[in-house]
């Protein structure tokens, strides 16, 4: 497991009975987490008086029952700054377990010995884009949601990175990659965080188990002749890290050499001293 254990302004305090108790800066939140299937004693008082609690509805979805927080506030990770907001469907705009990937990206960019051109697909609010840009890469940030790209720009400004070479693209990721192939554009690294399920602009169904392999194979065509790394994130429980490795080896290692490694991502839990699994990542390196 790759642990994101360098946070100072985020903390996973405890998790039990399908929920997790977190500290985001000075605010505590309780959010659902289906991985926390155990039932352990909730001894931390913050469980009973959080600043915000997201409760699922028996009819589907859910809502924030209590939100004693500002509309937006900031947390920092190293030199990066993020604007946190309470969103529908329990999200805050940041996946803190991805911090170990941000560290990996910054290390790879800084030690490449050459300028890198990085493509970030399904790029959400831009944490990976900012990590690459802060380390000195040129970045192409692509997400189909206009609001998420605007939020990513806010995070770039908060991090002092507005003047960095970042292309902000609102587009369907597959159609964008297809156009980049036709245009002959190439990238030295690709980061992708595809959804488990979604619909394309023309109603196409995206199911990660069925769509991921052909999409990753398509993306391999926009890599340069000497690529540096590829990161593939998965939050679909049916895809084990070993599946991601097998896919990456057959697409990237067969063509470029190098090696692939996949692990679960995790966050340390303060109360138990254990780690909560939070999806998986595959990293291919030249």
């Amino acid at each position: 497991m790759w642990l994101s254990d360098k946070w100072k302004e985020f903390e996973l305090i405890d998790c039990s009975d399908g929920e997790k108790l977190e500290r985001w800066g000075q605010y505590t939140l309780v959010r659902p987490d289906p991985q926390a299937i155990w039932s352990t004693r909730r001894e931390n008082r913050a469980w009973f008086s959080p600043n915000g609690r997201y409760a699922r509805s028996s009819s589907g979805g859910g809502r924030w029952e209590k939100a004693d927080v500002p509309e937006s506030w900031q947390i920092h990770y190293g030199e990066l700054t993020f604007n946190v907001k309470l969103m529908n469907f329990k999200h805050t705009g940041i996946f803190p377990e991805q911090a170990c990937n941000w560290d990996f990206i910054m290390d790879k960019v800084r030690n490449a010995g050459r300028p890198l051109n990085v493509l970030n697909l399904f790029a959400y609010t831009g944490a990976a884009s900012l990590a690459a840009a802060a380390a000195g890469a040129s970045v192409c940030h692509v997400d189909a949601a206009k609001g998420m790209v605007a939020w990513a720009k806010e995070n770039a400004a908060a991090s002092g990175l507005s003047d960095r070479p970042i292309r902000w693209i609102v587009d369907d990721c597959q159609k964008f990659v297809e156009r980049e192939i036709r245009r002959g554009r190439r990238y030295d690294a690709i980061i992708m965080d595809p959804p488990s399920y979604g619909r394309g602009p023309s109603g196409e169904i995206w199911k990660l188990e069925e769509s991921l392999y052909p999409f990753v194979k398509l993306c391999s065509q926009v890599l340069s002749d000497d690529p540096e790394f590829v990161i593939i994130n998965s939050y679909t429980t049916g895809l084990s890290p070993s599946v991601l490795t097998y896919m990456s080896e057959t697409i990237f290692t067969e063509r470029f050499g190098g090696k692939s490694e996949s692990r679960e991502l995790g966050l340390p839990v303060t109360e138990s001293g254990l780690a909560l699994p939070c999806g998986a990542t595959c990293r291919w390196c030249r």
Side-chain angles (χ1 to χ4, degrees):
M1 179 180 284
W2 283 311
L3 275 179
S4 292
D5 56 2
K6 297 178 182 177
W7 279 99
K8 292 182 171 56
E9 297 186 16
F10 169 85
E11 178 186 8
L12 178 50
I13 302 169
D14 198 8
C15 50
S16 175
D17 291 317
E19 291 185 311
K20 54 189 175 184
L21 172 65
E22 306 164 309
R23 177 178 61 84
W24 295 80
Q26 61 182 308
Y27 302 105
T28 54
L29 302 178
V30 174
R31 298 192 293 157
D33 195 305
Q35 295 282 74
I37 63 172
W38 42 85
S39 181
T40 52
R41 294 182 61 183
R42 298 187 174 192
E43 297 181 340
N44 194 295
R45 293 181 180 180
W47 275 114
F48 310 105
S49 57
N51 298 106
R53 179 187 294 273
Y54 188 91
R56 290 201 182 280
S57 169
S58 58
S59 59
R63 63 186 179 89
W64 288 98
E65 286 186 338
K66 179 184 177 184
D68 184 21
V69 297
E71 183 177 336
S72 175
W73 72 97
Q74 293 185 338
I75 64 170
H76 305 83
Y77 183 79
E79 59 199 272
L80 306 178
T81 300
F82 306 113
N83 294 305
V84 179
K85 306 174 188 179
L86 300 188
M87 302 169 60
N88 294 333
F89 197 65
K90 78 179 181 179
H91 294 309
T92 62
I94 302 294
F95 290 93
E97 66 273 11
Q98 288 288 333
C100 60
N101 275 335
W102 308 336
D103 293 337
F104 172 84
I105 292 165
M106 297 179 87
D107 179 70
K108 284 293 179 184
V109 171
R110 285 176 173 150
N111 292 295
R114 57 186 172 121
L116 295 186
N117 193 16
V118 176
L119 175 62
N120 188 11
L121 300 168
F122 310 98
Y124 197 49
T125 59
S129 297
L130 303 188
S138 298
V139 180
C140 182
H141 172 109
V142 187
D143 197 280
K146 184 177 181 180
M148 293 300 103
V149 176
W151 193 341
K153 290 181 181 179
E154 292 175 12
N155 287 335
S159 299
L161 298 171
S162 294
D163 61 341
R164 299 299 175 95
I166 306 174
R167 294 168 60 208
W168 305 104
I169 307 293
V170 179
D171 202 350
D172 175 79
C173 287
Q174 178 154 334
K175 295 193 179 302
F176 176 79
V177 170
E178 290 169 350
R179 283 195 294 273
E180 291 291 86
I181 293 169
R182 292 195 296 269
R183 287 187 283 244
R185 287 207 177 113
R186 298 293 180 263
Y187 297 88
D188 303 304
I190 298 175
I191 305 159
M192 65 176 77
D193 199 346
S196 296
Y197 180 85
R199 288 186 180 271
S202 302
E204 308 94 332
I205 300 294
W206 168 283
K207 289 185 179 179
L208 192 70
E209 299 94 327
E210 301 171 4
S211 305
L212 185 60
Y213 181 80
F215 179 73
V216 174
K217 195 168 184 180
L218 177 73
C219 290
S220 70
Q221 297 181 55
V222 295
L223 282 172
S224 64
D225 292 334
D226 189 21
E228 197 69 29
F229 66 88
V230 175
I231 295 176
I232 305 168
N233 291 307
S234 170
Y235 286 90
T236 299
T237 54
L239 289 182
S240 72
S242 297
V243 169
L244 298 178
T245 295
Y246 200 107
M247 178 184 64
S248 178
E249 287 289 290
T250 60
I251 293 175
F252 302 115
T253 302
E254 281 193 10
R255 179 178 172 188
F256 299 106
K259 65 177 182 178
S260 308
E261 183 177 4
S262 301
R263 298 187 194 177
E264 287 184 303
L265 298 179
L267 286 167
V269 182
T270 303
E271 291 287 307
S272 66
L274 301 172
L276 178 69
C278 307
T281 284
C282 177
R283 299 171 181 171
W284 172 85
C285 299
R286 178 173 60 86

